[in-house]
Amino acid sequence: MIEDPDLYRLFKAESGQHLARLEEDLLRLEQSPADPALLEEAFRESHSLKGAARVLGLVRIESAALGLESVFNAARKGEAPLTPDIVTRLNQALGELRERVQEALAGGDMAEPASPRPSAPTQPPAASSRK
């Protein structure tokens, strides 16, 4: 639960923007999965959402955003290209992330333990060990 009204409003606005941009990026990545600028933008949006969630202790959101961030990072480094299947799974993961944000904004339990990147598509081992 986000108790501070100012932080609540800020997270609501920022998370909505990050989620909308990620959705747009994924739509564009379906057509251009190797576009470096798009991959960088998607990486930055997921990274920013992860950071905002971390500051507020929203571990389930942080974990899900980290999963997206890791896939985008591997793709932008050329370690794991985005295939149509991965883009489909990223879209599913984004839907789950959106639900987690809505739960947090509705007062859901932010202290619930996060499962290890449940929404993240499978990554090659080399990609997950590099930052």
Side-chain angles (χ1 to χ4, degrees):
M1 165 183 286
I2 305 170
E3 295 181 12
D4 183 294
D6 291 332
L7 289 177
Y8 175 91
R9 282 190 295 277
L10 182 62
F11 181 75
K12 182 177 181 179
E14 285 187 4
S15 64
Q17 290 172 356
H18 294 309
L19 291 168
R21 287 183 189 132
L22 280 165
E23 186 174 347
E24 291 170 14
D25 291 343
L26 281 173
L27 288 172
R28 293 176 20 211
L29 283 166
E30 286 177 354
Q31 302 302 313
S32 304
D35 183 314
L38 278 175
L39 291 169
E40 182 68 26
E41 184 176 323
F43 170 80
R44 292 286 168 215
E45 291 299 335
S46 55
H47 179 78
S48 295
L49 183 55
K50 178 192 76 175
R54 178 179 290 161
V55 166
L56 295 172
L58 302 171
V59 294
R60 295 181 70 226
I61 296 168
E62 179 185 354
S63 176
L66 174 61
L68 290 173
E69 177 189 42
S70 297
V71 174
F72 292 130
N73 193 36
R76 76 186 181 131
K77 289 180 174 182
E79 297 169 351
L82 294 185
T83 63
D85 182 53
I86 290 176
V87 173
T88 296
R89 289 187 280 156
L90 285 168
N91 273 306
Q92 292 168 342
L94 182 59
E96 292 174 19
L97 179 55
R98 187 179 298 279
E99 289 174 11
R100 289 177 182 191
V101 167
Q102 290 171 348
E103 288 171 7
L105 292 172
D109 184 4
M110 65 184 174
E112 181 177 327
S115 55
R117 290 188 236 164
S119 303
T122 304
Q123 306 170 44
S128 63
S129 65
R130 296 181 188 147
K131 300 275 178 199

